[in-house]
């Protein structure tokens, strides 16, 4: 009897193992494609194909987790009433949109799925624009085999005190790898990392922090666990102090997470800027940065815009920088190429540009990540006892750059309340040789939606390769309406392949005579197609 049971157990084990092997083989074909399949003989490929069938599946809910509202670090609000770190409250707004058939049951919730607030569904979209006080998650069900177009943007405005500024960031899909580029931890600067886990399983998180001298040794402080439906906040100054340039890689296992970085600085008693750094493009040989603002600063002005680049691998290289503005390409003599040391965070000044909004494309011979920073001056309130010029900062995250001649969605983003929003669009040519004049044009259409889900305006723009075009939403929407979201669709390129890249520029006032002195930039969220079927194959391994 024992022998019979043992033989049955062996057969069951063999069937299980063989079944797993078959599934793994199919997965390998899906991931590796022709490169792996070509190692099989034609007969083997036909045999597998004959036993494989396609099964339809219903896409699961997709989630976009929004960054946390801007807040003072713990212990920072000290001092008397005249020099309080937070003399006025911070107001935070969320703008969100979902386009297409996925709009039907779109909602926002807390990290655990509770406290659901449905988006208003209109003829063109589902949308929401509302004040929030904590973490929100945008949830919707994608339509199979169709572009899933959803986006959210959270923005916090503080008009006075150490937090004076406009901090804004886009809501992101959870993943096992997140790259954050921006901020620092020198004296007067704080960088607060928040990692969120919206799933049902705990996530084990490991941090890689890079600075101006290379990778920073974190020891045991670089690993922690995030419980399901929870978030963990880490002051990077405690684990990576005295770093004037930062890039952070958040790695997760067990569950997918999202991450954001709140940056804040003071210069003596003057506020020196607040922003929310959200995840940018993963390491790649090319990335783009949109909505980089120049006020016409001199080359040596410390408040001129700057580009931050990191080659996180073990090998250094060279990066070529292409700058595109309202009048076309701009050559930065002496700054059009930068040598990259492996693991070292480098800042490249972009001073000397005429006033305007720019896009920057980085091409390197090694994988890189990056972002760009813009400084915006303001003025002290009339009753202030402190002299000097306060600044706000805006970090523009690096975006993937896909050169194509085809038409299709070019991204979407939510528009929060209490800000003025503009869009900076550009067309990056496929050939970015500085000695070659850019060629090609591409038409794009910008659509704006209100909080009821109605389309309240649209405009067509013909983008010329190598140039930027700035569009204020107030000039697009119907009079008396307020945008809660925006999307961009591109047409077919003519005269050469180009990549459409864009970002939103947000502005707010601080109550002084200087208008628009609080700034932030937000990159759009790309459309993602969810497959509606999987390939499966039954295996009889028992006989």
């Amino acid at each position: 009897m024992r022998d019979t049971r043992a033989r049955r157990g062996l057969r069951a084990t063999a069937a299980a193992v063989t079944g797993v092997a078959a599934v793994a083989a199919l997965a390998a074909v899906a991931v590796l494609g022709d490169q792996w399949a070509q190692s099989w003989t034609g007969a083997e490929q036909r045999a597998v194909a004959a036993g494989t069938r396609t099964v339809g599946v219903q896409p699961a809910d997709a989630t976009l987790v929004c960054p946390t509202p801007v807040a003072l670090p713990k212990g920072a609000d000290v001092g008397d009433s005249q020099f309080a770190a937070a003399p006025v409250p911070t107001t935070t707004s969320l703008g969100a949109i979902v386009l297409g058939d996925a709009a039907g049951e779109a909602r926002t919730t807390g990290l655990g799925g509770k406290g659901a607030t449905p988006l208003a569904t209109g003829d063109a979209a589902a949308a929401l624009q509302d004040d929030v006080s904590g973490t929100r998650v945008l949830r919707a069900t994608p339509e199979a085999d169709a572009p899933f177009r959803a986006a959210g943007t959270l923005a916090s405005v503080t008009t006075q005190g150490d937090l004076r500024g406009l901090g804004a960031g886009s809501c992101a899909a959870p993943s096992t790898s997140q790259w954050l580029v921006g901020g620092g931890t020198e004296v007067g600067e704080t960088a607060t990392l928040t990692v969120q886990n919206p799933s049902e399983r705990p996530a084990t998180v490991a941090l890689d922090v890079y600075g101006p001298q290379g990778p920073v040794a974190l020891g045991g402080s670089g690993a922690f666990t995030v419980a399901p439906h929870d978030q963990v906040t880490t002051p990077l100054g405690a684990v990576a102090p005295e770093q004037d340039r930062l890039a952070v890689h958040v790695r997760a296992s067990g569950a997918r997470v999202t991450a954001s970085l709140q940056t804040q600085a003071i210069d003596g008693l003057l506020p020196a800027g607040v922003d929310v750094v959200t995840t940018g493009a993963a390491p790649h040989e090319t990335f783009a940065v949109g909505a980089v603002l120049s006020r016409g600063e001199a080359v040596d002005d410390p408040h001129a815009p700057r580009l931050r680049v990191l080659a996180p691998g073990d090998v250094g290289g060279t990066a070529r920088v292409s700058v595109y503005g309202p009048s076309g390409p701009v050559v930065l003599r002496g700054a059009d190429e930068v040598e990259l040391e492996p693991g070292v965070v480098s800042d490249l000044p972009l001073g000397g540009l005429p006033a305007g909004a720019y896009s920057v494309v980085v091409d390197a011979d090694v994988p890189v990540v990056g972002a760009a920073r813009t400084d915006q001056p303001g003025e002290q309130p009339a009753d202030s006892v402190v002299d000097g010029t306060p600044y706000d900062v805006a970090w523009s995250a690096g975006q993937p750059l896909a050169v194509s001649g085809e038409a299709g969605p070019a991204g979407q983003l939510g528009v929060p309340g209490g800000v003025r929003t503009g869009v900076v669009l550009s067309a990056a040519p496929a050939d970015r040789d500085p000695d070659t004049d850019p060629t090609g044009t591409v038409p794009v259409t910008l659509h704006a939606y209100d909080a009821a889900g109605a389309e309240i305006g649209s405009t067509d723009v013909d983008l010329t390769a190598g140039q930027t075009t700035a569009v204020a939403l107030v000039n697009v929407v119907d009079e008396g309406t307020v945008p809660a979201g925006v999307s961009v669709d591109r047409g077919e390129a003519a005269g050469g392949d180009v990549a459409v890249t864009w970002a939103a520029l947000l502005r707010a006032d601080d109550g002084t005579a200087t208008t628009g002195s609080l700034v932030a930039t937000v990159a759009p969220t790309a459309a993602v197609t969810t497959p509606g079927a999987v390939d499966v194959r039954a295996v009889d391994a028992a006989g």
Side-chain angles (χ1 to χ4, degrees):
M1 182 71 69
R2 283 196 298 268
D3 290 343
T4 302
R5 285 198 296 266
R7 285 193 296 271
R8 288 174 179 170
L10 287 172
R11 285 200 298 269
T13 302
V17 171
T18 307
V20 170
V23 173
L26 290 170
V29 172
V31 173
L32 297 179
D34 291 341
Q35 180 181 357
W36 188 80
Q38 286 171 2
S39 67
W40 285 13
T41 66
E44 289 171 330
Q45 294 182 42
R46 287 192 296 273
V48 170
T52 301
R53 63 191 182 95
T54 300
V55 177
V57 294
Q58 176 63 35
D61 264 6
T63 60
L64 298 177
V65 184
C66 306
T68 57
V70 168
L72 279 174
K74 289 183 178 180
D77 195 8
V78 297
D80 57 28
S81 59
Q82 208 171 26
F83 298 101
V88 296
T90 297
T91 60
T92 301
S93 176
L94 172 65
I97 60 166
V98 179
L99 304 175
D101 289 344
E105 297 181 0
R107 62 207 180 276
T108 66
T109 70
L111 271 177
K114 297 181 179 179
T117 301
L119 274 64
T121 303
D123 294 337
L128 174 145
Q129 190 180 78
D130 199 8
D131 292 342
V132 296
S133 58
T135 300
R136 301 302 290 172
V137 179
L138 175 60
R139 302 178 187 271
T141 304
E143 180 189 7
D145 299 319
F148 176 61
R149 307 193 66 179
T153 300
L154 181 138
S156 295
V157 176
T158 314
T159 58
Q160 296 179 40
D162 290 359
L163 282 179
R164 176 193 175 274
L166 168 57
S170 56
C171 309
S175 74
T176 58
S177 177
Q178 307 254 335
W179 285 90
L180 307 166
V181 180
T185 58
E186 280 196 318
V187 175
E189 289 186 278
T190 62
T192 305
L193 174 70
T194 300
V195 180
Q196 302 156 312
N197 178 10
S199 77
E200 300 288 341
R201 301 184 303 275
T204 300
V205 175
L207 304 181
D208 301 312
V209 178
Y210 302 84
Q213 306 302 320
V216 180
L218 303 179
S221 302
F224 51 88
T225 299
V226 185
H229 312 308
D230 202 358
Q231 60 187 31
V232 172
T233 299
T234 303
L236 290 185
V239 299
E242 299 301 317
Q243 306 292 323
D244 69 341
R245 302 189 292 273
L246 276 180
V248 182
H249 184 204
V250 178
R251 296 179 285 118
S253 59
R256 294 181 173 90
V257 301
T258 57
S260 61
L261 190 65
Q262 177 188 306
T263 69
Q264 177 227 345
I266 55 173
D267 181 8
L269 295 175
L270 289 170
V274 168
D275 203 9
V276 176
V277 176
T278 51
T279 185
H284 195 270
E285 286 77 8
T286 300
F287 71 84
V289 179
V292 180
L293 291 183
S294 170
R295 295 177 291 107
E297 299 95 339
V299 174
D300 58 351
D301 190 326
H303 291 290
R306 70 207 74 169
L307 175 70
R308 180 164 295 180
V309 184
L310 164 70
D314 297 327
V315 180
T318 302
R320 188 176 75 247
V321 180
S322 303
V323 180
Y324 303 116
S327 300
V330 179
V331 177
L332 295 175
R333 299 299 178 188
D336 54 344
E337 284 193 353
V338 56
E339 294 299 320
L340 302 172
E341 296 183 52
V344 172
V345 181
S346 301
D347 274 5
L348 179 68
L350 300 178
L353 295 173
Y358 292 81
S359 292
V360 178
V361 178
V362 175
D363 293 291
D365 51 12
V366 293
V368 290
V369 294
R373 168 175 166 156
T374 294
D375 290 11
Q376 184 73 18
E379 63 179 275
Q380 289 290 81
D383 58 352
S384 175
V385 296
V386 179
D387 293 329
T389 301
Y391 279 85
D392 193 19
V393 301
W395 282 100
S396 302
Q399 306 174 43
L401 189 72
V403 175
S404 172
E406 298 180 356
Q412 56 282 332
L413 58 82
V415 178
V419 299
R420 297 189 297 279
T421 303
V423 171
V424 180
L425 303 129
S426 68
D431 185 357
R432 292 183 287 276
D433 188 324
D435 297 324
T436 302
D437 291 334
T439 60
T441 60
V442 59
V444 300
T445 302
L446 187 152
H447 305 270
Y449 312 89
D450 66 10
E455 183 169 339
I456 54 175
S458 65
T459 187
D460 296 325
V461 180
D462 288 327
L463 301 178
T464 300
Q467 294 186 9
T468 60
T469 301
V471 179
L473 289 191
V474 68
N475 297 327
V476 176
V477 303
D478 299 333
E479 186 176 357
T481 60
V482 177
V486 61
S487 67
V488 173
D489 296 305
R490 63 166 287 164
E492 293 185 4
D497 288 349
V498 295
V500 172
T501 181
W502 62 284
L505 173 64
L506 312 182
R507 291 186 179 273
D509 300 333
D510 64 355
T512 66
T514 304
T515 60
S517 58
L518 307 182
V519 296
T521 57
V522 180
T525 302
V528 179
T529 299
T530 303
V534 295
D535 291 336
V536 298
R537 178 174 176 242
V539 176
D540 182 8

